[in-house]
Amino acid sequence: MSGVSLKCGDCGTLLKSVEEAQEHAELTSHSNFAESTEPVLNLVCSSCGKPCRTKTESDLHTKRTGHTEFADKTSEVTKPISLESPTPTPMDVDASGSAQSEEMVAPEVDKKLLEELEGMGFSMARATRALHCSGNSSLEGAVNWIVEHENDADIDQMPMVPASSKNDPPKPSLTEEEKKMKLLELRERARKKKEEEEKRMEREKEKERVRIGKELLEAKRMEEENERKRLIAFRKAEKEEEKRALEKVRQKLEEDKAERRRRLGLPAEDPATAAKPSPPPVEEKKLGLPIKPVTKTEQMRECLRSLKKNHKDEDARVKKAFQTLFTYAGNVVKNPEEEKYRKIRLSNQAFKDRVGGLKGGIEFLELCGFEKIEDGEYLFMPREKVDIAVLNSAGNELQSAINNPHFGVL
């Protein structure tokens, strides 16, 4: 198969003719060319008609414009390459027989559009080439041409046309009124785009606010549910404790009764007979055995025990929590009028590390009189609710928990 292109041995570029090889050599200083059977691609964009000679060029065009459809017309333009230099035509030969090439000059373009492009920072050569190739009709068309061809190797070279075509009348440019209308249209389009973007951002912000609100409500509901479960478990534990206390009293009474019968020389009571009259719980009250209600001091002691059991492998951390709680209670007792000692921010990292992160720490402070305010952001003890006796009891329990190495073990 005969060669259909020239391939640059330095960069691998395929060229369709000797003229293109000469231009490539002048631009790049490459001189190693060889005949190749690989044709130069001719991929034509189906949307705008731009020809692309390589896959890389078509990918760049797709990236800039979003056009993805290309028609492969390589076979239509592929032809054997001629390695001979072009000979002048008879029209280019003067009477003396020497070849005379036609004079090449820069094309005439709209000077106002050229000045505007130069004012935008483009070089004269690039602006002239853009106006000439885009039809010399509008500023927007020239700018679009520059964006699409910014990677062309000759974009910053002054285009040249035959001198005979230099004075051809250029295509009419936009009038001042048309320019103003075009500018207003571009500004209106930009304003609408900005408004749409702002509306979209506002919708996103509203969705985010709704999501955060739902999460806060769910967190509050979970907190209330956990508090309810904790109270139920605490009451259940109290009832179990009461049952065990009553059972111990009942056993003690039975032992005392058996001891009295033994001392009086009476036979032991038949267990079957003794089991029949099982007195109801109401009768225990008649026997003078009232159930003592759980005091706040006992609740504090139980809270500290639970805290230590829940973190039984963190003795140092538990001890530091007890000492911190003792400091909070002591500060309020010593300075009941100072609000800073009666207000604790729950998000404070030091508080979370020492007390807030341990299960039972916040509950102990609530037993001391602290209340959650501002949607649970702070723990606060109102001045009128400062109970020195309760705080002293809390201090005694904490002192016992700190000094007693067996506290909470049993």
Side-chain angles (χ1 to χ4, degrees):
M1 180 178 177
S2 61
V4 293
S5 65
L6 290 174
K7 186 173 184 179
C8 177
D10 297 316
C11 63
T13 303
L14 294 176
L15 305 161
K16 293 191 295 184
S17 64
V18 174
E19 293 87 344
E20 286 190 1
Q22 291 173 348
E23 293 179 1
H24 181 77
E26 292 175 359
L27 291 173
T28 62
S29 299
H30 297 167
S31 59
N32 183 17
F33 297 92
E35 188 176 2
S36 173
T37 58
E38 183 180 356
V40 178
L41 291 179
N42 185 28
L43 304 175
V44 181
C45 178
S46 302
S47 301
C48 63
K50 174 178 169 43
C52 299
R53 299 178 59 168
T54 63
K55 186 65 170 61
T56 302
E57 188 175 345
S58 65
D59 292 340
L60 289 173
H61 182 71
T62 300
K63 186 176 181 180
R64 287 196 298 266
T65 63
H67 301 164
T68 57
E69 298 293 332
F70 293 88
D72 191 351
K73 297 184 179 181
T74 304
S75 59
E76 299 179 8
V77 297
T78 301
K79 59 183 180 180
I81 191 169
S82 174
L83 300 180
E84 298 180 359
S85 300
T87 56
T89 62
M91 295 181 62
D92 295 331
V93 180
D94 57 11
S96 61
S98 60
Q100 180 182 2
S101 60
E102 187 174 359
E103 182 183 3
M104 303 296 287
V105 295
E108 291 285 349
V109 295
D110 190 302
K111 296 189 180 304
K112 291 184 178 180
L113 296 178
L114 180 62
E115 291 176 358
E116 292 183 17
L117 287 172
E118 289 180 340
M120 295 170 65
F122 300 113
S123 65
M124 177 181 288
R126 181 175 293 201
T128 302
R129 182 175 290 274
L131 287 171
H132 177 69
C133 295
S134 64
N136 197 29
S137 59
S138 67
L139 181 65
E140 184 178 3
V143 172
N144 290 337
W145 188 93
I146 291 175
V147 172
E148 292 184 2
H149 297 78
E150 60 182 353
N151 293 323
D152 292 356
D154 59 350
I155 190 171
D156 286 317
Q157 295 180 7
M158 181 66 72
M160 306 300 288
V161 297
S164 59
S165 62
K166 176 180 179 181
N167 297 323
D168 290 346
K171 295 183 180 180
S173 60
L174 296 177
T175 63
E176 292 297 327
E177 186 64 25
E178 290 174 336
K179 290 181 181 178
K180 291 180 180 179
M181 294 298 294
K182 190 68 175 177
L183 181 61
L184 290 176
E185 180 183 350
L186 293 174
R187 287 179 178 175
E188 181 65 18
R189 192 183 305 168
R191 184 186 63 80
K192 290 182 179 179
K193 184 176 181 181
K194 183 178 180 181
E195 289 180 354
E196 292 176 357
E197 183 66 17
E198 289 177 350
K199 290 180 180 179
R200 186 186 68 80
M201 293 297 294
E202 188 62 30
R203 288 195 297 269
E204 293 294 330
K205 290 180 181 178
E206 183 62 25
K207 290 180 181 179
E208 185 67 14
R209 285 195 293 268
V210 171
R211 184 186 66 79
I212 293 175
K214 289 181 178 179
E215 289 181 355
L216 290 175
L217 289 176
E218 181 64 17
K220 186 176 181 181
R221 187 191 67 78
M222 291 295 294
E223 183 179 359
E224 292 175 351
E225 179 67 17
N226 292 335
E227 180 67 15
R228 185 182 66 82
K229 291 180 179 180
R230 189 184 67 81
L231 289 176
I232 292 175
F234 185 73
R235 290 170 183 167
K236 184 177 180 181
E238 286 182 339
K239 291 180 179 179
E240 293 294 333
E241 185 66 27
E242 291 172 2
K243 290 181 180 179
R244 287 194 293 270
L246 290 175
E247 184 63 27
K248 288 181 180 179
V249 172
R250 188 178 294 111
Q251 291 179 0
K252 183 63 175 174
L253 290 175
E254 292 294 335
E255 292 175 358
D256 292 344
K257 185 177 179 181
E259 181 64 21
R260 287 196 299 272
R261 293 179 66 88
R262 185 183 64 78
R263 289 179 180 178
L264 294 174
L266 298 175
E269 187 176 9
D270 187 1
T273 307
K276 291 181 180 179
S278 55
V282 180
E283 295 297 325
E284 294 178 354
K285 292 184 179 181
K286 293 182 180 180
L287 294 175
L289 298 173
I291 299 174
K292 183 179 179 181
V294 178
T295 63
K296 182 166 286 190
T297 301
E298 293 173 339
Q299 292 179 1
M300 292 180 180
R301 187 181 305 124
E302 185 61 29
C303 183
L304 295 177
R305 287 176 179 169
S306 299
L307 190 151
K308 187 166 184 178
K309 289 180 180 179
N310 292 332
H311 304 277
K312 58 184 179 180
D313 297 328
E314 300 175 281
D315 292 339
R317 190 180 179 190
V318 170
K319 187 173 182 179
K320 182 179 289 186
F322 288 166
Q323 292 171 345
T324 304
L325 292 171
F326 184 84
T327 301
Y328 282 135
N331 287 339
V332 177
V333 172
K334 295 175 184 178
N335 308 279
E337 301 297 334
E338 292 289 336
E339 182 177 327
K340 65 180 181 179
Y341 296 116
R342 293 184 280 107
K343 190 172 184 179
I344 304 171
R345 183 161 60 91
L346 294 177
S347 59
N348 181 276
Q349 190 60 42
F351 173 80
K352 291 167 66 176
D353 293 340
R354 297 184 179 184
V355 176
L358 278 72
K359 185 177 180 181
I362 295 177
E363 288 80 358
F364 184 86
L365 289 172
E366 290 176 337
L367 290 172
C368 292
F370 284 88
E371 301 172 354
K372 289 183 179 179
I373 61 171
E374 297 182 14
D375 295 332
E377 187 176 356
Y378 291 90
L379 279 177
F380 179 70
M381 182 185 294
R383 177 62 185 90
E384 63 273 13
K385 293 188 178 181
V386 175
D387 192 334
I388 300 300
V390 172
L391 292 172
N392 286 332
S393 298
N396 293 333
E397 294 300 324
L398 287 166
Q399 193 69 32
S400 174
I402 294 171
N403 297 329
N404 185 3
H406 305 291
F407 179 84
V409 176
L410 300 177

